[in-house]
Structures are given as structure tokens and as C-alpha cells.
Amino acid sequence: MEGGIHKADDTEFKECLHLTWKQPYILRLAFAAGIGGLLFGYDTGVISGALLYIRDDFSSVDRNTLLQETIVSMAVAGAIIGAGFGGWMNDKFGRRPSIIVADVLFFVGAIIMAAAPIPGIIILGRIFVGFGVGMASMTSPLYISEVSPARIRGALVSTNGLMITGGQFLSYIINLAFTRTPGTWRWMLGVAGVPAFIQFLLMLTLPESPRWLYRKGKKEKAINILRKIYPANEVEKEIESLRLSVEAEIVEEGSIGEDGLLGKLRKALSSVVVRRGLVAGILCQVAQQFVGINTVMYYSPTIVQLAGFASNSTALALSLITSGLNAFGSLVSIYFVDRAGRRKLLLLSLIGIITCLALLSGVFFGVATHSPPVSEAETGFFGNQTCPDFKPATGIKWKCMDCMKTTSDCGFCAHAGNKLLPGACLASDSTVRDACHEEGREWYTRGCPSNFGWLALIALAAYIISYSPGMGTVPWIVNSEIYPLRYRGLCGGLAAVANWVSNLIVTQTFLSLTEALGTAPTFLLFCGISAVALVLIFLLVPETKGLPFEEVEKMLESEDYKAWKKSSVGDRAKSP
């Protein structure tokens, strides 16, 4: 979900460190804009922990899976609208005002969520935050790329991706910090307003993108900014380079014609190069979401609880591992993407994902079939708090998982001495939960006590390690390389919308699927989708490693084009 990622190699990063040390103004620009990536990542991660405590505070949320999904997914829905509006605003008013507006929306959303008296107001705040996330997700990397010297552009834009995963990691740390603070989830969600406010202040002191200014005819302002970015001996060369680039861009846009969006789309789809590119690009984006990544990023503490870890704070602490591995995987991908190639990384990543999802499905099947029995004596210990659906007089034996699946709202209070021994099935409310805890017992409403929980954590960690370097970053790289220059904005926008919509579908349905099918079948479903994605990517996504844009276009228009075959165009491009 990170937005377009410009490739960077080791040399670029070394040059980046050297040049930003000599020209700290560049680092100031990149850092200020990069806070947008941090906000994006923070919002993705923070709701996963906050949701645990929102459920505790609002019984209507705890009992309603659809409401939980809506609280999570409304930020994604807002981001779809925010990205569309942000594209228009970027062109009309510039990159700097777009980032400032995104900060205002994010700050307002954070305050609304922190002060929300009812779940509906939390959802309203999530929509505002989503608007800001959508605008920031496309504007921050764009601003960074346009204010960065060409030779270190890849390194600086890549830091935006690192800021996103860093924001996710930070959100889990913040969640842990507030687990024992009154108003837990309000602090978790409200703290997001702080970096938004800092970025707002920083952007007020920074200039507009010189490229945007030059395109709007404000050439003197653009040149003055370039003089601050580049050493004196390079300024004139960069001014000329900017002029030629903008003129070429205008010519390319003119070649499409002024037929409006639908006219441009029809003209694009009439080209076999664009059609083949869109099939590959959109397939990668949709697959990125349908392999289930955001079930892990948005719901990882809930998944940990489903695996048998009842405590909110324990679930958050263990989820921190997945977020840290995701950030690590982003660093790994920067190293391998130009060595192994895009196609190979995608396929290897999917093989790992399929294996891990199959293992997760097996773990949750084991949790369900080996859950502790419900004891009539243990349940009777709590007096008249018995789950209404549990009727021992009928002679039907219950397990913990049966208690979880009742139509009434019930929970399982584990045995005081050994949580794997028979426990109590009780009506679920805060009074009963507190009574269970007072007896030194664990209270379960999502999963059941199990010896398989550690295996689920290993599978989750392996899933992230498999996903992040491949399916996490490569789809964006493929989309930055596979379209003809004149249609890159249009096609990239279509692929990004496909990504966001797929994200929304997965986020809005995950908990409902676990409730309707069970946790094990849900992960098996994602495993099957991943297997289909593996076959389709093998058949339809070509290797673009090391190919200039012109050679990619020639490869796609070739009459004997087959994505899985090694391209003779690529061989000619590499030959001296």
C-alpha cells in the first residue's frame, strides 16, 4: 500500500549520506515530507491495538463484528476518496498545500477519535484520517522526488517507504505504552495528531516543488529553490535539465489529446502495450492485498488472541514482532530487488506466503479441535452468570470453542490452575470479566486456551518475512516501470485505486469471514487465493529488471510476447 517506490542501489545511499551532510537543506525537505509516510504507517498499525480497548469500552462494538470492521475500514474508504481528491489538488494548487491540508484532516480526525463519546464518532474520525492518509500517500513521495537531486532521488524516496513501516512499528510501541493508562485507546488514536501538527508547522516554512512551479510558469521561484538544493557548480545544469524534462512531459501529454478521462482511457486501452501492462500492474496490486497482508497489519493483536493469548497487552507485545519484521523486510527488499529481479522476488514471496498461510490454517484448526472442555462445576462456581445457551441438563458436552460460537454473547473463563483444564462458559460483560480476573483466571472472548499459540506466532513472523521484501514492495516497482510514459499517470492511478479497493474489501470482510467460516478456513481461503495469484503472476507478469522504459514498451508490444519467457529485447538491451 506504500505508493510508488523509486529504486535505489547501494551507491545512491552512500551518495545520499554524503550530499545531505553537505547540503542539510535537502534532508530538511525530505524529512518534513516523509512525516506523511510516518502518519500513513502509524494509522495502519494503531487501530489494530486500539480496537482491543474500544471493544472493552463499548459493548455494542464487542458484540458486533461488522461494526469492528467498519471502524477499521472507514479509514481505507476515506483514503480512496482522499487519493482521488489529492491528485486533483496536487495539480491545481501544488504539493505543499496538499500536504498541509492532509495534516489538517489528519489532526482533526485524531482529535475527533480521541474525544469520541460513541462508536459512530470514532468512525467519523476514521474517515477524516482516511482523507489525510489518501492525500499523504501520493503527495509525500511526489514532493520528495521533485525536490531531490536526481542522483540520490531513489534513496530519498525509498525513505518514504521506510517511514511507513517505521510508523507502523512506532504505533505498536505507542499502543504498549498506553495499555495501563486511563483512556487507553483515546491516547493511542489521539497521539497521531502530534506528528501531523509538527509536519504542518514544518511545511509552512518550506517551499513548493520547483517542478510544479516551473510548470505553472513561476520559473524564478523554481530557480531560487533549485539554488538552495544544488551546489553552485551544478545549478545551471539542473535548471536546463528541468526545462527539458517539463517540455518533454508537456509534449507527451499533448500526444494523448484532450478528450477527458474516459477519452484518455479508451485511447490507452486501444494499445496492446497498455493492456498488457495494466493486466500485470493491476494483478500485482490486487494480489498484494488479497494474500491477506492487512488482516495481519490491521488485526494482528486480534489474530494473536484467536491463537490463545487472552491478555490485550500480551497480544500487543507479541504483535510488535510482526511490525518490526515488516520494517526489516522493507530494508531487505531495497538490497535484493535489483539483484534478484522483480519477477523472481514476487514468485518466491508468494511461495513463502502460501506455506505460512497453510501453516496458520493448520494451527487454528488445532486450536479449535483441542480447546478445553466446559465444566458444569466450574461454570456453577460463578452463580447465575452462566451463558444462556449452555444447558448441561441436555447432556451435550461443550468445549471452549462451542462457547465462543454461541448466538448469545458469551466468554470462557479458564481454569485457575491450568488453562488447558475444563473451565467456565459465562455470559460476557465487564462484571463477569472482572470476576474471572479476580479469581486469577484468563478471560477469553476471541480464541481459546491452547498449546499451539507459539506456532501461530512463528507462522505470522514467517508470513511477514515472506511478504515484505517481495509482495510488499515489488508491485509498486513493477507499476512504476511497466507503462508507457504518456500513460503512466493514468495507468498508475488505476492500479492504485485497485489496490485501495482490494484493501477495503479484505479489511471489511476479515472478521466476518472468521465468524462465518471459522479462523482456520479463512486463512485457508487466503492460502488458496495466494496460490491462484502465484499462477497468474507466473503467466502474466514479465521481468523488467534492468530494462529502460523504451525496452519495456518494445517487449510488451512484441507479437510473440509471453511473460514467463526470457525477453530477447532484454538481452539486446544488456548487450554492449
Side-chain angles (χ1 to χ4, degrees):
M1 296 188 351
E2 273 95 349
I5 298 176
H6 180 99
K7 306 181 299 298
D9 57 23
D10 297 341
T11 308
E12 261 191 79
F13 279 103
K14 290 173 184 175
E15 178 69 14
C16 179
L17 291 172
H18 175 70
L19 190 55
T20 52
W21 178 261
K22 289 175 61 180
Q23 298 279 112
Y25 186 71
I26 299 169
L27 190 59
R28 183 180 163 197
L29 293 172
F31 172 77
I35 294 176
L38 182 80
L39 290 171
F40 185 1
Y42 185 88
D43 177 72
T44 303
V46 73
I47 194 62
S48 64
L51 186 63
L52 303 180
Y53 295 92
I54 292 171
R55 287 196 337 235
D56 287 347
D57 277 9
F58 298 108
S59 57
S60 60
V61 176
D62 193 38
R63 292 194 297 266
N64 192 327
T65 298
L66 180 62
L67 188 54
Q68 292 174 42
E69 290 170 332
T70 302
I71 288 172
V72 174
S73 65
M74 277 304 99
V76 181
I80 296 171
I81 298 170
F85 178 74
W88 170 80
M89 190 170 180
N90 266 288
D91 289 339
K92 184 77 173 175
F93 300 106
R95 298 16 169 167
R96 179 172 167 268
S98 298
I99 292 175
I100 289 172
V101 170
D103 288 329
V104 171
L105 289 168
F106 210 106
F107 184 81
V108 170
I111 298 302
I112 290 173
M113 290 188 294
I118 58 173
I121 302 299
I122 299 175
I123 292 171
L124 177 64
R126 294 287 292 163
I127 292 171
F128 269 88
V129 165
F131 291 155
V133 163
M135 291 181 69
S137 69
M138 63 171 301
T139 308
S140 291
L142 185 62
Y143 181 86
I144 294 171
S145 70
E146 292 182 348
V147 299
S148 303
R151 63 184 183 276
I152 63 167
R153 185 171 297 137
L156 286 177
V157 176
S158 293
T159 60
N160 185 67
L162 294 178
M163 290 286 270
I164 292 171
T165 52
Q168 291 169 343
F169 187 70
L170 176 65
S171 71
Y172 282 89
I173 294 174
I174 295 292
N175 282 348
L176 275 173
F178 287 115
T179 52
R180 301 191 183 280
T181 305
T184 47
W185 61 268
R186 297 182 186 277
W187 285 102
M188 293 172 182
L189 298 174
V191 161
V194 175
F197 184 65
I198 292 171
Q199 187 180 43
F200 175 83
L201 294 178
L202 288 173
M203 292 308 299
L204 290 177
T205 67
L206 295 177
E208 180 53 80
S209 156
R211 186 180 190 84
W212 185 86
L213 289 170
Y214 202 95
R215 280 217 53 169
K216 295 297 181 180
K218 301 177 182 179
K219 297 180 180 179
E220 284 303 317
K221 286 186 178 179
I223 290 169
N224 287 336
I225 295 167
L226 289 174
R227 293 189 191 281
K228 292 183 179 180
I229 295 172
Y230 290 94
N233 62 327
E234 298 180 18
V235 170
E236 295 305 322
K237 178 184 172 185
E238 292 302 326
I239 292 171
E240 178 63 13
S241 176
L242 177 61
R243 181 186 69 80
L244 293 172
S245 175
V246 169
E247 288 177 357
E249 191 176 274
I250 292 170
V251 169
E252 286 286 350
E253 289 174 0
S255 70
I256 300 175
E258 299 294 333
D259 301 321
L261 181 61
L262 289 178
K264 290 176 181 178
L265 182 59
R266 275 196 301 270
K267 192 167 183 179
L269 292 177
S270 68
S271 164
V272 67
V273 174
V274 173
R275 290 198 302 273
R276 287 171 173 172
L278 273 176
V279 166
I282 291 179
L283 171 62
C284 286
Q285 296 286 35
V286 172
Q288 185 189 63
Q289 297 302 322
F290 275 95
V291 299
I293 181 58
N294 280 318
T295 63
V296 175
M297 296 315 298
Y298 287 126
Y299 297 112
S300 58
T302 302
I303 293 170
V304 170
Q305 287 188 331
L306 287 168
F309 297 90
S311 164
N312 284 350
S313 56
T314 300
L316 280 172
L318 293 173
S319 298
L320 187 63
I321 298 169
T322 63
S323 182
L325 288 171
N326 192 35
F328 174 73
S330 297
L331 290 170
V332 171
S333 81
I334 291 171
Y335 181 82
F336 280 110
V337 74
D338 280 322
R339 289 168 172 78
R342 293 86 168 103
R343 181 179 163 84
K344 187 180 291 184
L345 269 183
L346 285 172
L347 296 175
L348 288 174
S349 179
L350 279 167
I351 290 170
I353 286 168
I354 292 166
T355 304
C356 295
L357 288 173
L359 179 57
L360 274 170
S361 179
V363 168
F364 283 112
F365 180 77
V367 169
T369 54
H370 294 86
S371 63
V374 173
S375 162
E376 182 179 355
E378 287 287 317
T379 302
F381 177 80
F382 291 90
N384 61 356
Q385 303 296 339
T386 302
C387 172
D389 292 353
F390 177 54
K391 303 186 186 301
T394 62
I396 298 174
K397 300 295 183 183
W398 271 31
K399 289 186 174 183
C400 169
M401 197 55 67
D402 298 308
C403 187
M404 296 291 108
K405 293 179 179 178
T406 58
T407 54
S408 303
D409 190 25
C410 299
F412 183 79
C413 185
H415 190 279
N418 183 340
K419 65 182 182 180
L420 298 178
L421 293 177
C425 183
L426 308 171
S428 180
D429 60 42
S430 57
T431 304
V432 176
R433 180 190 67 205
D434 293 343
C436 179
H437 286 157
E438 285 171 6
E439 295 295 323
R441 303 171 181 231
E442 293 280 7
W443 175 250
Y444 294 83
T445 57
R446 279 286 167 187
C448 289
S450 168
N451 276 335
F452 297 96
W454 62 272
L455 195 54
L457 293 179
I458 291 174
L460 274 176
Y463 172 87
I464 291 292
I465 291 170
S466 299
Y467 172 88
S468 189
M471 288 301 295
T473 55
V474 175
W476 294 106
I477 295 173
V478 169
N479 273 274
S480 72
E481 297 173 328
I482 205 163
Y483 307 120
L485 181 61
R486 59 193 175 279
Y487 295 116
R488 190 160 300 145
L490 176 65
C491 295
L494 289 173
V497 168
N499 185 290
W500 281 112
V501 172
S502 303
N503 184 345
L504 178 62
I505 292 169
V506 171
T507 307
Q508 183 64 45
T509 57
F510 174 66
L511 292 180
S512 294
L513 284 171
T514 60
E515 199 171 75
L517 304 177
T519 310
T522 298
F523 279 105
L524 195 59
L525 175 64
F526 283 122
C527 181
I529 292 171
S530 300
V532 172
L534 175 68
V535 174
L536 292 177
I537 285 175
F538 176 81
L539 293 174
L540 300 170
V541 179
E543 180 58 75
T544 57
K545 170 192 169 187
L547 294 180
F549 294 134
E550 296 78 9
E551 298 297 339
V552 172
E553 193 166 342
K554 286 179 184 177
M555 173 181 68
L556 292 174
E557 70 184 357
S558 171
E559 288 185 6
D560 62 345
Y561 166 77
K562 295 290 187 292
W564 68 86
K565 289 184 178 178
K566 190 173 181 180
S567 171
S568 58
V569 171
D571 294 338
R572 289 198 301 270
K574 293 172 188 175
S575 62

